[in-house]
Amino acid sequence: MTEPVEETIARLRASVTANPNNPVTRLMLGRAYQQVGRIDEAVSSVQRATTLKTDYYEAFVTLGGLHRQKGDASQAANAFATAVKVKPGATEIWLELAKARSDAGDDAGAADAYAKVIEERADDVEALRDGGLASHRAARHETAETWLSRAIACSPELERDGRVQLALARSAMAAGRVGAAVQGYAKAIAHGAEDAEVRREEAEALVADGRVADAVGSLARAGVLAPQRTDLPRRQGELERDLERLEDARASFLRWTALAPDETPAERSLIETLTELTQSVDDAGAVVSSMHSTVSSLARPRPVYEPA
Protein backbone atom coordinates (compact mmCIF):
# COMPACT_ATOMS: atom_id res chain seq x y z
CA MET A 1 0.00 0.00 0.00
CA THR A 2 1.38 3.40 -0.99
CA GLU A 3 2.08 5.75 1.88
CA PRO A 4 0.02 8.98 1.76
CA VAL A 5 2.18 11.93 0.73
CA GLU A 6 1.52 13.89 3.92
CA GLU A 7 2.72 10.90 5.97
CA THR A 8 5.80 10.71 3.76
CA ILE A 9 6.47 14.38 4.38
CA ALA A 10 6.14 13.91 8.14
CA ARG A 11 8.52 10.94 8.09
CA LEU A 12 11.09 12.77 5.94
CA ARG A 13 10.93 15.87 8.11
CA ALA A 14 11.68 13.71 11.11
CA SER A 15 14.65 12.23 9.24
CA VAL A 16 15.90 15.71 8.35
CA THR A 17 15.61 16.79 11.98
CA ALA A 18 17.61 13.75 13.04
CA ASN A 19 20.21 14.18 10.31
CA PRO A 20 20.02 17.69 8.81
CA ASN A 21 23.11 17.23 6.64
CA ASN A 22 21.84 14.33 4.54
CA PRO A 23 21.36 15.71 0.99
CA VAL A 24 19.43 12.64 -0.19
CA THR A 25 16.76 13.08 2.48
CA ARG A 26 16.56 16.81 1.67
CA LEU A 27 15.98 15.99 -2.00
CA MET A 28 13.34 13.38 -1.19
CA LEU A 29 11.53 15.84 1.09
CA GLY A 30 11.62 18.48 -1.62
CA ARG A 31 10.08 16.11 -4.14
CA ALA A 32 7.36 15.17 -1.64
CA TYR A 33 6.56 18.86 -1.13
CA GLN A 34 6.40 19.25 -4.92
CA GLN A 35 3.81 16.47 -5.16
CA VAL A 36 1.38 18.39 -2.97
CA GLY A 37 2.08 21.78 -4.53
CA ARG A 38 4.15 23.22 -1.69
CA ILE A 39 6.65 24.62 -4.17
CA ASP A 40 8.40 27.21 -2.00
CA GLU A 41 9.13 24.57 0.65
CA ALA A 42 10.25 22.19 -2.09
CA VAL A 43 12.70 24.76 -3.46
CA SER A 44 14.08 25.43 0.01
CA SER A 45 14.64 21.74 0.73
CA VAL A 46 16.23 20.92 -2.64
CA GLN A 47 18.35 24.08 -2.54
CA ARG A 48 19.73 22.88 0.78
CA ALA A 49 20.53 19.52 -0.80
CA THR A 50 22.60 21.23 -3.50
CA THR A 51 24.45 23.20 -0.83
CA LEU A 52 25.28 20.03 1.06
CA LYS A 53 26.40 18.21 -2.09
CA THR A 54 27.56 20.66 -4.74
CA ASP A 55 27.78 18.03 -7.50
CA TYR A 56 24.37 16.51 -6.78
CA TYR A 57 23.12 16.15 -10.37
CA GLU A 58 19.62 14.88 -9.51
CA ALA A 59 19.08 17.72 -7.04
CA PHE A 60 20.08 20.41 -9.55
CA VAL A 61 17.77 18.89 -12.18
CA THR A 62 14.90 18.85 -9.68
CA LEU A 63 15.70 22.41 -8.61
CA GLY A 64 15.64 23.59 -12.22
CA GLY A 65 12.22 22.01 -12.71
CA LEU A 66 10.90 23.64 -9.55
CA HIS A 67 12.08 27.08 -10.63
CA ARG A 68 10.43 26.59 -14.04
CA GLN A 69 7.25 25.57 -12.24
CA LYS A 70 7.43 28.84 -10.31
CA GLY A 71 7.98 30.78 -13.54
CA ASP A 72 11.54 31.80 -12.66
CA ALA A 73 13.31 30.96 -15.93
CA SER A 74 16.60 32.61 -14.95
CA GLN A 75 16.97 30.56 -11.77
CA ALA A 76 15.91 27.43 -13.66
CA ALA A 77 18.64 28.08 -16.22
CA ASN A 78 21.24 28.47 -13.46
CA ALA A 79 20.24 25.13 -11.94
CA PHE A 80 20.22 23.28 -15.27
CA ALA A 81 23.56 24.84 -16.18
CA THR A 82 25.09 23.42 -13.02
CA ALA A 83 23.53 20.02 -13.75
CA VAL A 84 25.16 19.79 -17.19
CA LYS A 85 28.50 20.82 -15.72
CA VAL A 86 28.22 17.79 -13.46
CA LYS A 87 27.03 15.54 -16.29
CA PRO A 88 27.98 17.08 -19.67
CA GLY A 89 26.50 14.21 -21.66
CA ALA A 90 22.96 14.75 -20.33
CA THR A 91 21.33 15.77 -23.63
CA GLU A 92 17.84 16.02 -22.16
CA ILE A 93 19.04 18.54 -19.58
CA TRP A 94 20.88 20.55 -22.25
CA LEU A 95 17.46 20.78 -23.92
CA GLU A 96 15.85 21.93 -20.65
CA LEU A 97 18.65 24.48 -20.24
CA ALA A 98 18.05 25.77 -23.76
CA LYS A 99 14.34 26.22 -23.09
CA ALA A 100 14.94 27.94 -19.76
CA ARG A 101 17.48 30.33 -21.25
CA SER A 102 15.13 31.12 -24.10
CA ASP A 103 12.31 31.83 -21.61
CA ALA A 104 14.71 34.09 -19.70
CA GLY A 105 15.52 36.08 -22.85
CA ASP A 106 19.07 34.75 -23.17
CA ASP A 107 18.86 33.80 -26.83
CA ALA A 108 22.61 33.49 -27.35
CA GLY A 109 22.89 31.18 -24.35
CA ALA A 110 19.88 29.21 -25.56
CA ALA A 111 21.47 28.78 -28.99
CA ASP A 112 24.66 27.49 -27.35
CA ALA A 113 22.64 24.91 -25.39
CA TYR A 114 20.67 23.87 -28.48
CA ALA A 115 23.99 23.33 -30.26
CA LYS A 116 24.88 20.70 -27.64
CA VAL A 117 21.57 18.94 -28.28
CA ILE A 118 22.02 19.07 -32.06
CA GLU A 119 25.54 17.62 -31.77
CA GLU A 120 23.94 14.47 -30.36
CA ARG A 121 20.64 14.57 -32.25
CA ALA A 122 21.27 15.94 -35.71
CA ASP A 123 17.67 15.35 -36.81
CA ASP A 124 15.88 16.58 -33.67
CA VAL A 125 13.23 18.80 -35.27
CA GLU A 126 12.32 20.59 -32.04
CA ALA A 127 15.94 21.47 -31.28
CA LEU A 128 16.63 22.53 -34.88
CA ARG A 129 13.51 24.71 -35.03
CA ASP A 130 13.78 26.31 -31.60
CA GLY A 131 17.56 26.57 -31.84
CA GLY A 132 17.21 28.22 -35.23
CA LEU A 133 14.70 30.72 -33.89
CA ALA A 134 16.91 31.48 -30.86
CA SER A 135 19.91 31.93 -33.18
CA HIS A 136 17.87 34.30 -35.33
CA ARG A 137 16.93 36.40 -32.30
CA ALA A 138 20.61 36.42 -31.28
CA ALA A 139 21.53 37.71 -34.77
CA ARG A 140 23.42 34.50 -35.60
CA HIS A 141 21.85 34.46 -39.02
CA GLU A 142 24.00 31.84 -40.72
CA THR A 143 23.37 29.33 -37.93
CA ALA A 144 19.68 30.19 -37.90
CA GLU A 145 19.36 29.55 -41.62
CA THR A 146 21.29 26.27 -41.40
CA TRP A 147 19.25 24.85 -38.54
CA LEU A 148 15.88 26.05 -39.81
CA SER A 149 16.55 24.65 -43.28
CA ARG A 150 17.47 21.31 -41.71
CA ALA A 151 14.33 21.41 -39.58
CA ILE A 152 12.20 21.91 -42.71
CA ALA A 153 14.02 19.07 -44.47
CA CYS A 154 13.23 16.78 -41.52
CA SER A 155 9.67 18.05 -41.10
CA PRO A 156 8.27 19.63 -44.30
CA GLU A 157 5.16 20.97 -42.54
CA LEU A 158 7.43 23.65 -41.05
CA GLU A 159 7.25 25.28 -44.50
CA ARG A 160 3.87 26.52 -43.23
CA ASP A 161 5.24 27.89 -39.96
CA GLY A 162 5.16 31.68 -40.18
CA ARG A 163 7.78 32.15 -37.45
CA VAL A 164 10.22 29.89 -39.27
CA GLN A 165 9.68 31.64 -42.60
CA LEU A 166 10.06 35.07 -41.00
CA ALA A 167 13.36 34.08 -39.40
CA LEU A 168 14.58 32.72 -42.74
CA ALA A 169 13.54 35.95 -44.48
CA ARG A 170 15.38 38.12 -41.98
CA SER A 171 18.46 35.91 -42.14
CA ALA A 172 18.46 36.10 -45.93
CA MET A 173 18.12 39.89 -45.79
CA ALA A 174 21.01 40.13 -43.32
CA ALA A 175 23.12 38.08 -45.73
CA GLY A 176 22.22 40.38 -48.64
CA ARG A 177 20.18 37.75 -50.49
CA VAL A 178 17.35 40.12 -51.28
CA GLY A 179 15.36 37.86 -53.61
CA ALA A 180 15.27 35.07 -51.04
CA ALA A 181 14.25 37.59 -48.38
CA VAL A 182 11.33 38.84 -50.48
CA GLN A 183 10.13 35.28 -51.00
CA GLY A 184 10.56 34.55 -47.29
CA TYR A 185 8.50 37.55 -46.23
CA ALA A 186 5.71 36.52 -48.61
CA LYS A 187 5.69 33.00 -47.12
CA ALA A 188 5.79 34.30 -43.56
CA ILE A 189 2.83 36.60 -44.17
CA ALA A 190 0.90 33.88 -45.96
CA HIS A 191 1.34 31.63 -42.93
CA GLY A 192 0.22 34.01 -40.21
CA ALA A 193 3.28 36.10 -39.34
CA GLU A 194 1.80 39.37 -40.58
CA ASP A 195 2.04 42.54 -38.53
CA ALA A 196 2.95 46.13 -39.31
CA GLU A 197 6.67 45.66 -38.67
CA VAL A 198 6.86 42.57 -40.86
CA ARG A 199 5.12 44.48 -43.65
CA ARG A 200 7.55 47.38 -43.22
CA GLU A 201 10.50 44.99 -43.43
CA GLU A 202 8.96 43.40 -46.51
CA ALA A 203 8.68 46.87 -48.08
CA GLU A 204 12.38 47.58 -47.56
CA ALA A 205 13.28 44.19 -49.06
CA LEU A 206 11.11 45.01 -52.07
CA VAL A 207 12.82 48.39 -52.45
CA ALA A 208 16.21 46.66 -52.35
CA ASP A 209 14.89 44.30 -55.03
CA GLY A 210 13.88 47.24 -57.23
CA ARG A 211 10.13 46.71 -56.73
CA VAL A 212 9.24 50.11 -55.33
CA ALA A 213 5.58 50.06 -56.41
CA ASP A 214 5.08 46.76 -54.57
CA ALA A 215 6.83 48.25 -51.54
CA VAL A 216 4.25 51.05 -51.47
CA GLY A 217 1.54 48.41 -51.26
CA SER A 218 3.28 46.72 -48.32
CA LEU A 219 3.59 50.02 -46.48
CA ALA A 220 -0.06 50.80 -47.13
CA ARG A 221 -0.98 47.47 -45.56
CA ALA A 222 1.35 48.19 -42.63
CA GLY A 223 -0.46 51.48 -42.09
CA VAL A 224 -3.77 49.65 -41.87
CA LEU A 225 -2.33 47.26 -39.28
CA ALA A 226 -0.76 50.06 -37.20
CA PRO A 227 -2.59 53.30 -38.03
CA GLN A 228 -0.85 55.29 -35.27
CA ARG A 229 2.70 54.68 -36.48
CA THR A 230 4.09 57.88 -37.97
CA ASP A 231 7.02 56.29 -39.80
CA LEU A 232 4.82 54.29 -42.16
CA PRO A 233 2.99 57.09 -44.04
CA ARG A 234 6.20 59.10 -44.15
CA ARG A 235 8.12 56.27 -45.81
CA GLN A 236 5.18 55.56 -48.11
CA GLY A 237 5.14 59.21 -49.16
CA GLU A 238 8.87 59.13 -49.91
CA LEU A 239 8.44 56.12 -52.18
CA GLU A 240 5.40 57.57 -53.91
CA ARG A 241 7.35 60.77 -54.50
CA ASP A 242 10.16 58.73 -56.05
CA LEU A 243 7.61 57.08 -58.31
CA GLU A 244 6.31 60.57 -59.26
CA ARG A 245 2.89 59.73 -57.84
CA LEU A 246 2.58 63.20 -56.38
CA GLU A 247 -1.07 63.13 -55.37
CA ASP A 248 -0.49 59.90 -53.47
CA ALA A 249 2.69 61.27 -51.90
CA ARG A 250 0.88 64.39 -50.73
CA ALA A 251 -1.87 62.29 -49.15
CA SER A 252 0.68 60.12 -47.35
CA PHE A 253 2.63 63.10 -46.04
CA LEU A 254 -0.63 64.65 -44.83
CA ARG A 255 -1.39 61.48 -42.86
CA TRP A 256 2.10 61.61 -41.42
CA THR A 257 1.86 65.22 -40.20
CA ALA A 258 -1.65 64.60 -38.85
CA LEU A 259 -0.21 61.84 -36.66
CA ALA A 260 3.00 63.67 -35.70
CA PRO A 261 2.55 66.09 -32.80
CA ASP A 262 5.80 67.93 -33.64
CA GLU A 263 4.95 69.11 -37.14
CA THR A 264 7.54 71.63 -38.38
CA PRO A 265 7.51 74.34 -41.05
CA ALA A 266 9.77 72.18 -43.22
CA GLU A 267 7.17 69.41 -43.26
CA ARG A 268 4.41 71.88 -44.09
CA SER A 269 6.57 73.26 -46.89
CA LEU A 270 6.95 69.76 -48.29
CA ILE A 271 3.18 69.32 -48.45
CA GLU A 272 2.68 72.81 -49.90
CA THR A 273 5.29 72.09 -52.58
CA LEU A 274 3.60 68.83 -53.54
CA THR A 275 0.20 70.52 -53.51
CA GLU A 276 1.43 73.22 -55.89
CA LEU A 277 2.99 70.63 -58.19
CA THR A 278 -0.11 68.46 -58.38
CA GLN A 279 -2.44 71.39 -58.93
CA SER A 280 -0.55 73.58 -61.38
CA VAL A 281 1.90 71.48 -63.38
CA ASP A 282 0.95 69.50 -66.44
CA ASP A 283 4.30 67.79 -66.88
CA ALA A 284 4.91 66.75 -63.27
CA GLY A 285 7.77 64.45 -64.22
CA ALA A 286 9.96 67.28 -65.49
CA VAL A 287 9.38 69.32 -62.37
CA VAL A 288 10.05 66.38 -60.07
CA SER A 289 13.47 65.95 -61.63
CA SER A 290 14.48 69.49 -60.72
CA MET A 291 12.69 69.53 -57.36
CA HIS A 292 13.89 66.12 -56.17
CA SER A 293 16.80 67.27 -54.02
CA THR A 294 14.74 70.04 -52.40
CA VAL A 295 11.87 67.74 -51.52
CA SER A 296 14.29 65.08 -50.28
CA SER A 297 15.90 67.54 -47.91
CA LEU A 298 12.50 68.55 -46.56
CA ALA A 299 11.52 64.93 -45.98
CA ARG A 300 14.83 63.98 -44.39
CA PRO A 301 14.70 63.25 -40.60
CA ARG A 302 15.66 66.26 -38.57
CA PRO A 303 19.08 66.05 -36.84
CA VAL A 304 19.20 65.77 -33.07
CA TYR A 305 21.83 67.93 -31.45
CA GLU A 306 23.38 66.91 -28.16
CA PRO A 307 24.41 69.67 -25.76
CA ALA A 308 28.16 70.23 -25.68
Side-chain angles (χ1 to χ4, degrees):
M1 183 175 178
T2 303
E3 181 182 45
V5 177
E6 291 297 347
E7 290 183 17
T8 301
I9 289 173
R11 178 174 54 78
L12 289 170
R13 288 186 64 172
S15 295
V16 166
T17 300
N19 184 3
N21 294 324
N22 186 332
V24 176
T25 307
R26 294 276 188 178
L27 174 59
M28 291 173 64
L29 178 58
R31 288 175 171 172
Y33 281 137
Q34 184 180 22
Q35 281 186 269
V36 294
R38 295 163 66 176
I39 304 303
D40 288 339
E41 290 166 287
V43 168
S44 178
S45 186
V46 178
Q47 184 77 61
R48 180 59 179 155
T50 64
T51 302
L52 292 167
K53 182 174 171 56
T54 57
D55 62 349
Y56 199 173
Y57 170 80
E58 292 81 0
F60 281 108
V61 171
T62 300
L63 185 60
L66 286 167
H67 281 306
R68 289 197 77 182
Q69 195 170 345
K70 288 185 66 177
D72 191 338
S74 180
Q75 289 297 323
N78 289 338
F80 290 135
T82 303
V84 294
K85 284 181 182 178
V86 175
K87 190 179 287 190
T91 304
E92 282 297 331
I93 307 308
W94 278 109
L95 184 58
E96 292 301 316
L97 173 59
K99 292 176 180 178
R101 283 176 171 173
S102 184
D103 290 343
D106 179 10
D107 291 312
D112 290 340
Y114 278 119
K116 293 290 188 179
V117 178
I118 293 166
E119 283 178 9
E120 299 298 322
R121 303 177 184 173
D123 295 332
D124 186 319
V125 173
E126 179 187 9
L128 288 167
R129 180 199 63 199
D130 293 345
L133 293 173
S135 297
H136 155 63
R137 293 191 296 270
R140 297 179 181 180
H141 297 295
E142 185 175 351
T143 299
E145 190 166 9
T146 297
W147 286 353
L148 291 173
S149 297
R150 282 168 58 184
I152 291 172
C154 294
S155 182
E157 62 267 23
L158 287 178
E159 280 277 6
R160 300 186 295 276
D161 187 316
R163 297 174 307 155
V164 169
Q165 292 297 343
L166 180 57
L168 286 170
R170 287 170 169 166
S171 295
M173 194 67 185
R177 291 185 294 103
V178 175
V182 169
Q183 292 178 7
Y185 281 115
K187 288 181 180 179
I189 290 165
H191 295 300
E194 182 184 36
D195 62 23
E197 182 59 18
V198 171
R199 283 291 191 177
R200 186 201 64 77
E201 292 176 18
E202 179 190 40
E204 296 305 332
L206 287 164
V207 170
D209 201 35
R211 296 166 56 184
V212 179
D214 291 335
V216 168
S218 293
L219 286 168
R221 175 60 181 162
V224 170
L225 295 170
Q228 296 307 310
R229 279 184 58 166
T230 60
D231 60 318
L232 300 174
R234 175 174 184 160
R235 181 60 172 148
Q236 184 177 340
E238 290 171 348
L239 297 182
E240 288 164 336
R241 181 202 64 210
D242 293 343
L243 291 169
E244 302 181 9
R245 289 162 45 177
L246 301 184
E247 286 281 8
D248 293 338
R250 176 176 174 275
S252 294
F253 284 128
L254 282 171
R255 287 197 306 277
W256 164 38
T257 54
L259 289 169
D262 56 346
E263 181 185 354
T264 68
E267 290 156 2
R268 286 196 299 271
S269 296
L270 171 60
I271 295 169
E272 290 165 3
T273 299
L274 289 170
T275 299
E276 182 177 352
L277 282 171
T278 55
Q279 289 179 349
S280 63
V281 177
D282 293 329
D283 184 6
V287 178
V288 167
S289 178
S290 62
M291 291 287 294
H292 197 278
S293 61
T294 301
V295 176
S296 295
S297 67
L298 290 170
R300 191 174 301 125
R302 296 179 300 281
V304 176
Y305 296 99
E306 298 289 342

